[in-house]
Amino acid sequence: MNMKTKRTVMARALGLGLLVLLPSVACAQRLLTLDSCRAMALRNNKQIGVAKMKQEVNAYMRKSARTQYLPKVNAVGGYMWMSREISILNDDQKAALSNMGTNTAAKLQDALSPLTSALPAATQQKMAGDMTAFAGALNQVGAGIVDGFRTDTRNMMAGAVTVTQPVFMGGAITAANKMADINEEMAANSLEMKRQNTLYNIDQAYWQVVSLHHKQKLAESFVELVKKLQSDVQKMIDKGVATKGDGLSVGVRVNEAEMALTQVQDGLSLSKMLLCQLCGLPLDEAITLAEEESDVLGGVATPSQHTGQTDVAFANRPELKVLQNTADLSKQTTNVLKAGNLPQVLVTGGYAISNPNTFNGFEKKFGGLWNAGVVVRVPIWNWGDVKNKVRASKVATAMASLEMDEARELIELQVNQSNFKVSEAQKKLAMATANIANAEENLRMANLGFKEGTVSHTTVMEAQTAWQQAQSQLIDAEIGVKLSEVELQKALGTLAP
């Protein structure tokens, strides 16, 4: 195989390799639509994730508040060791009871000694023995009494199971449950607010990328135009019908066009990074947007209907709903504070045990009893503490109402401003569309005149600049229509994926 054949084979192999690689390169570009970007942003936005967790927390808190209506069952137990036991009898009483028989026998002997002295010695001995036996028996009885009064509290154990049912708490439980419901609703409204902000930001970033992509294509076309003019002027210089200064002026325009192209390319790269960040994609992800190759970006928007839009915004704006929740929370807080001046009634019951117990004397074993009762708490005087707190809460409620009124005024202003922006964007789009035809015709006439030698290169450059500006204004107008519609939807609170 000669060298030429080897080169042919290598060229074919390289061509086949490129054909294999091209599909994989094309597949590396991820195609994204506005809906897919919105879905990824909603799925990956961390603030939305936090808001969902807060909503879950408030749902559990609502369930917890519901349990305040139900009885509570508690069990308690304990053990205590004491270095000394509790004694009901003092030491003198213990000694007197323990020697009760001896003391009694001595007193009897003293009392009967005048009578027994005349009796026979055998009888006296028998009576003395009987008295000693009686004293011993009585001493045992006294010792038993002392032992019966022993508490043996060095090791104490006790336990109880109690049931508490609130009957009337001054409306505090009802107010707390309403606050839990409002908090859950507020969490949902906060989630909706973050969702709409996320959609608004993703739409802004998406259409910014689309705008810069079309401006990049426009800048590339403009560079080709001015380079074509530079080539024509260079040919005229070579023929001696144009000066070197003419070539330099065109060269400056080429440099400016290339610099503008570089700036657009850098801006497009940064805008794609921002879009990837909002979508939760790697910043260096290669993405392509569906509208990048579309010739018509915005089109003619449907004229907005002003009638009833303010009412729609008042009904849908999550910011207004959050402020309403804040005002409602303040009202329920006032109710909770008012309950501090009202009676509270609870029913209690349970079973208690202890060791030692006193239900059958002092016994070293567990013994217990059932119990039931009613607890009533009536506040009498607190130096105006609750009263001042209630007044402060009412002022907070009034503040929340004022903030909500101000928010309604601002929302009405936003709706009107958004409507004006939509109308302005529609007018700009109509004017930009009309200017395109004029700019293209002006550029065609300038190029034709330049070829015929009737106009200078300066006129051509002016026509090119006017064409480039008209194209750029058209892109801005088309994107402006899209963004104004998104802004109006956000102002109305109807921005949805």
Side-chain angles (χ1 to χ4, degrees):
M1 184 182 293
N2 55 25
M3 184 62 66
K4 184 177 180 180
T5 305
K6 289 182 179 180
R7 289 178 178 175
T8 302
V9 173
M10 291 178 63
R12 290 178 178 176
L14 180 60
L16 290 173
L18 289 174
L19 289 175
V20 173
L21 289 174
L22 282 176
S24 62
V25 173
C27 292
Q29 290 281 339
R30 174 178 288 195
L31 180 63
L32 299 177
T33 63
L34 180 59
D35 291 338
S36 63
C37 288
R38 285 179 165 187
M40 285 189 292
L42 293 176
R43 185 170 58 250
N44 298 313
N45 187 275
K46 294 180 176 58
Q47 290 299 319
I48 291 181
V50 171
K52 288 181 179 179
M53 291 181 182
K54 288 182 178 179
Q55 187 179 19
E56 186 177 0
V57 168
N58 282 281
Y60 286 124
M61 294 302 295
R62 175 183 56 79
K63 293 180 180 179
S64 174
R66 294 291 189 272
T67 63
Q68 301 303 312
Y69 290 112
L70 305 175
K72 300 292 187 299
V73 180
N74 296 300
V76 62
Y79 166 81
M80 180 178 292
W81 174 84
M82 303 176 70
S83 61
R84 298 175 63 186
E85 71 177 43
I86 297 173
S87 178
I88 297 177
L89 302 175
N90 57 36
D91 292 340
D92 293 338
Q93 291 171 335
K94 292 178 181 179
L97 288 173
S98 298
N99 298 307
M100 180 173 59
T102 302
N103 295 333
T104 302
K107 290 180 179 180
L108 285 175
Q109 286 179 354
D110 292 340
L112 296 176
S113 57
L115 301 175
T116 58
S117 58
L119 297 174
T123 302
Q124 291 182 5
Q125 289 180 353
K126 184 177 181 305
M127 291 181 63
D130 293 339
M131 189 64 68
T132 301
F134 172 74
L138 201 56
N139 284 339
Q140 289 181 356
V141 172
I145 294 173
V146 171
D147 188 63
F149 274 98
R150 183 181 178 186
T151 60
D152 194 10
T153 54
R154 289 173 298 176
N155 295 281
M156 298 181 65
M157 290 173 283
V161 177
T162 61
V163 180
T164 304
Q165 172 63 56
V167 178
F168 178 73
M169 302 300 291
I173 295 179
T174 302
N177 274 271
K178 291 181 179 179
M179 291 176 68
D181 294 337
I182 295 170
N183 278 322
E184 187 177 14
E185 183 180 351
M186 181 183 289
N189 291 329
S190 298
L191 174 61
E192 176 63 18
M193 184 167 59
K194 287 182 171 56
R195 189 185 67 83
Q196 291 206 15
N197 288 334
T198 300
L199 291 176
Y200 179 75
N201 292 332
I202 202 70
D203 282 24
Q204 293 275 342
Y206 184 90
W207 291 114
Q208 178 71 11
V209 171
V210 173
S211 174
L212 289 175
H213 177 79
H214 282 80
K215 286 191 175 183
Q216 179 184 0
K217 292 170 62 178
L218 175 61
E220 291 171 351
S221 300
F222 187 67
V223 169
E224 292 178 2
L225 280 178
V226 293
K227 282 187 175 181
K228 177 65 170 56
L229 179 61
Q230 183 183 37
S231 176
D232 293 338
V233 171
Q234 184 61 44
K235 292 177 181 178
M236 294 173 66
I237 293 173
D238 294 340
K239 293 179 180 180
V241 294
T243 64
K244 190 174 182 180
D246 296 335
L248 292 175
S249 63
V250 177
V252 171
R253 182 57 59 87
V254 172
N255 292 335
E256 291 176 351
E258 291 178 343
M259 180 62 69
L261 175 60
T262 301
Q263 291 176 347
V264 172
Q265 290 173 340
D266 293 341
L268 179 60
S269 298
L270 292 175
S271 297
K272 285 191 174 183
M273 288 183 183
L274 175 61
L275 182 61
C276 289
Q277 189 272 330
L278 293 175
C279 292
L281 298 174
L283 296 183
D284 57 351
E285 181 83 10
I287 60 174
T288 301
L289 306 186
E291 280 78 5
E292 286 185 356
E293 302 303 326
S294 176
D295 294 332
V296 180
L297 299 179
V300 179
T302 303
S304 57
Q305 301 294 328
H306 293 245
T307 305
Q309 285 190 336
T310 303
D311 295 333
V312 173
F314 288 163
N316 294 324
R317 283 293 289 269
E319 296 91 339
L320 199 60
K321 293 180 180 179
V322 169
L323 289 175
Q324 181 63 57
N325 294 145
T326 302
D328 294 339
L329 273 177
S330 183
K331 292 178 182 178
Q332 296 304 322
T333 301
T334 303
N335 293 334
V336 172
L337 293 173
K338 285 181 178 179
N341 275 338
L342 298 176
Q344 296 179 353
V345 181
L346 297 93
V347 175
T348 64
Y351 184 78
I353 59 173
S354 65
N355 184 1
N357 71 84
T358 58
F359 301 117
N360 186 26
F362 283 93
E363 294 182 315
K364 191 62 178 178
K365 64 181 180 178
F366 283 102
L369 77 164
W370 293 95
N371 61 83
V374 178
V375 178
V376 180
R377 173 185 174 273
V378 181
I380 298 175
W381 184 252
N382 53 30
W383 302 99
D385 176 50
V386 175
K387 180 180 179 181
N388 290 324
K389 288 180 179 178
V390 169
R391 287 177 176 177
S393 181
K394 287 182 177 180
V395 173
T397 302
M399 291 170 55
S401 298
L402 288 176
E403 290 178 353
M404 188 168 63
D405 292 339
E406 183 183 16
R408 290 170 70 91
E409 294 174 358
L410 293 176
I411 287 174
E412 184 176 3
L413 179 61
Q414 287 179 0
V415 171
N416 291 328
Q417 288 176 339
S418 298
N419 278 315
F420 283 124
K421 287 182 179 180
V422 170
S423 300
E424 183 181 3
Q426 293 169 358
K427 294 176 182 178
K428 286 183 177 180
L429 178 60
M431 290 187 293
T433 303
N435 288 338
I436 285 294
N438 296 332
E440 289 179 347
E441 180 62 18
N442 184 38
L443 180 59
R444 188 186 70 81
M445 295 297 294
N447 288 329
L448 183 59
F450 182 72
K451 290 180 180 179
E452 295 176 353
T454 58
V455 298
S456 65
H457 70 281
T458 304
T459 303
V460 176
M461 287 192 297
E462 291 175 353
Q464 290 175 344
T465 301
W467 175 85
Q468 188 266 346
Q469 290 177 350
Q471 293 287 346
S472 180
Q473 290 173 357
L474 179 61
I475 295 172
D476 290 339
E478 291 175 331
I479 297 298
V481 170
K482 287 291 186 183
L483 294 180
S484 64
E485 290 175 345
V486 172
E487 187 169 347
L488 178 59
Q489 290 177 6
K490 186 176 185 296
L492 295 175
T494 58
L495 188 59

